[in-house]
Amino acid sequence: MSAAEPAKPAISPAEFVVKPGETAKPSAAQIARQVRHERARSLALALVLWVGIPTILSVVYYGFVARQQYESVSTLVLRGAEADAAMHATTFTEYALSREMLAQLDNDLGFSAHYRDGGDPFSRLSPKAGSETRYEFFRQKVDARYDSASHVLTLRVRSFSGKSAQEFCAAILERASHFVASVDDATQQALIVVAKPSAPSEAKYPRRAYEIVTVFLASLAIFSIGSLLIAAVREHAQF
């Protein structure tokens, strides 16, 4: 090579041109951007499946399908010494929530039939329910609690109509009070009905907004825990 000739470049610029039929290799930045895009899409899909769909279903159910439930409430005051009042309250509560009480309500007022024929597919009593299932359902709809500090016993009954709730509550109150009095004649004077069974005109259940928010938060918590577990497994396995 003579001194007058220019030096040739080590690599020709033509070598950087992608020839027809060849594919350009993505850069590291492009690969990273594609990975982030795929992860964001997977995250969005998982959110829809695990959070969005359950929340939408809860809106549909509690907003349009769930049958309204009414609650009748009655309160009693138990007079006497603390030990005696607590004993009377226990007797009243145990009988009010007993299988014998359920049998009487079924025979006289059709308690189980009311919950079997009414309601929606998720809140009604199954037609094939056996004795134990009916009793568990009874315990979900009837509640009796005693406050030892105030000597106040509260009886609550929930049903699909205000009239039925009041009838069931009145029957339980009358029969449980009669049973307690039959155990001890002096007990009849110790039970004072402060408030007779109420006749609710507005439904108390379902609490639509509360239930929907609860489903949303529960779904979100499950999704978050699942995402953390999957991330931990992938990191450990070096995926």
Side-chain angles (χ1 to χ4, degrees):
M1 182 189 310
S2 63
E5 293 179 356
K8 294 182 179 180
I11 301 177
S12 172
E15 297 183 24
F16 289 98
V17 178
V18 178
K19 299 179 180 179
E22 294 183 355
T23 303
K25 295 182 180 180
S27 63
Q30 291 175 329
I31 294 175
R33 185 162 54 250
Q34 184 178 2
V35 169
R36 289 195 299 269
H37 177 73
E38 291 295 333
R39 288 181 177 177
R41 186 167 60 181
S42 299
L43 179 63
L45 179 60
L47 275 171
V48 170
L49 292 176
W50 291 98
V51 181
I53 292 179
T55 302
I56 292 174
L57 291 177
S58 69
V59 171
V60 173
Y61 173 69
Y62 291 112
F64 305 99
V65 178
R67 178 74 181 273
Q68 292 182 328
Q69 298 184 44
Y70 300 79
E71 185 176 81
S72 179
V73 181
S74 180
T75 55
L76 303 86
V77 171
L78 283 77
R79 295 189 301 183
E82 182 174 350
D84 293 338
M87 180 185 67
H88 300 330
T90 300
T91 303
F92 181 98
T93 301
E94 290 298 321
Y95 188 75
L97 303 178
S98 66
R99 289 176 170 80
E100 182 178 348
M101 178 64 73
L102 173 60
Q104 293 182 28
L105 293 177
D106 280 341
N107 292 333
D108 299 341
L109 298 175
F111 183 90
S112 296
H114 169 79
Y115 295 96
R116 184 176 59 245
D117 299 335
D120 56 78
F122 298 98
S123 64
R124 69 168 58 110
L125 179 64
S126 172
K128 299 180 181 180
S131 58
E132 288 304 311
T133 301
R134 291 199 307 271
Y135 180 66
E136 291 176 1
F137 196 88
F138 167 74
R139 291 296 300 266
Q140 293 175 6
K141 303 302 179 182
V142 179
D143 181 61
R145 298 189 183 186
Y146 175 66
D147 183 359
S148 58
S150 60
H151 289 199
V152 173
L153 191 153
T154 304
L155 175 65
R156 301 176 184 273
V157 181
R158 194 193 319 171
S159 79
F160 296 125
S161 72
K163 181 180 179 181
S164 296
Q166 184 183 35
E167 290 178 349
F168 295 149
C169 188
I172 294 172
L173 174 64
E174 178 183 358
R175 296 172 190 190
S177 299
H178 178 73
F179 177 79
V180 173
S182 67
V183 175
D184 184 359
D185 293 336
T187 307
Q188 188 171 5
Q189 302 298 325
L191 295 177
I192 302 176
V193 178
V194 177
K196 295 182 179 180
S198 59
S201 59
E202 294 182 358
K204 186 173 182 179
Y205 300 93
R207 296 173 289 181
R208 304 184 191 280
Y210 173 81
E211 301 292 352
I212 292 171
V213 171
T214 299
V215 171
F216 170 76
L217 293 177
S219 301
L220 187 60
I222 293 174
F223 169 77
S224 300
I225 295 173
S227 298
L228 291 175
L229 290 176
I230 292 174
V233 171
R234 286 181 175 177
E235 182 178 356
H236 179 74
Q238 296 181 354
F239 284 171

